[in-house]
Amino acid sequence: AGVLGLLFCGVVYPQGYKLLDVAFPSRRTAGVIFTKSVAEIATVGVFVNSLSMSCRGILSGRQDVIPHMKRELPRVTLNDVKVWLPYNL
């Protein structure tokens, strides 16, 4: 878990945010901030949560990792929207 945390904090998140900054260069208007927040949740959030859920499932010996992830990811993403969208705004 620690190695994955370092990988994401040191590589994945900075690269993801760098791409979002290139795609949405302005940081000042509420519309751009909202768009960047939604884009972050829809891309980086879904990717990171999918990878994290898959790794945890594989490491715990689950046999139904992909079906479990498909069932749970919408709920996890909704929770991300509820928490991170207001925080980012």
Side-chain angles (χ1 to χ4, degrees), residues 13-63:
Y13 281 129
Q15 292 303 316
Y17 290 125
K18 189 183 296 183
L19 290 172
L20 288 173
D21 285 340
V22 169
F24 307 103
S26 174
R27 294 183 178 101
R28 297 195 176 155
T29 65
V32 170
I33 294 169
F34 177 80
T35 302
K36 283 175 83 170
S37 296
V38 170
E40 185 272 331
I41 292 167
T43 57
V44 177
V46 170
F47 171 74
V48 170
N49 286 328
S50 297
L51 188 60
S52 175
M53 291 170 69
S54 298
C55 289
R56 283 193 314 247
I58 290 167
L59 291 174
S60 68
R62 287 188 78 115
Q63 299 299 314

Side-chain angles (χ1 to χ4, degrees), residues 63-77:
Q63 299 299 314
D64 64 338
V65 172
I66 300 299
H68 174 74
M69 186 179 65
K70 286 180 179 179
R71 277 192 316 273
E72 295 298 319
L73 192 58
R75 189 170 55 106
V76 170
T77 303

Side-chain angles (χ1 to χ4, degrees), residues 6-19:
L6 288 172
L7 174 69
F8 283 104
C9 291
V11 178
V12 174
Y13 281 129
Q15 292 303 316
Y17 290 125
K18 189 183 296 183
L19 290 172

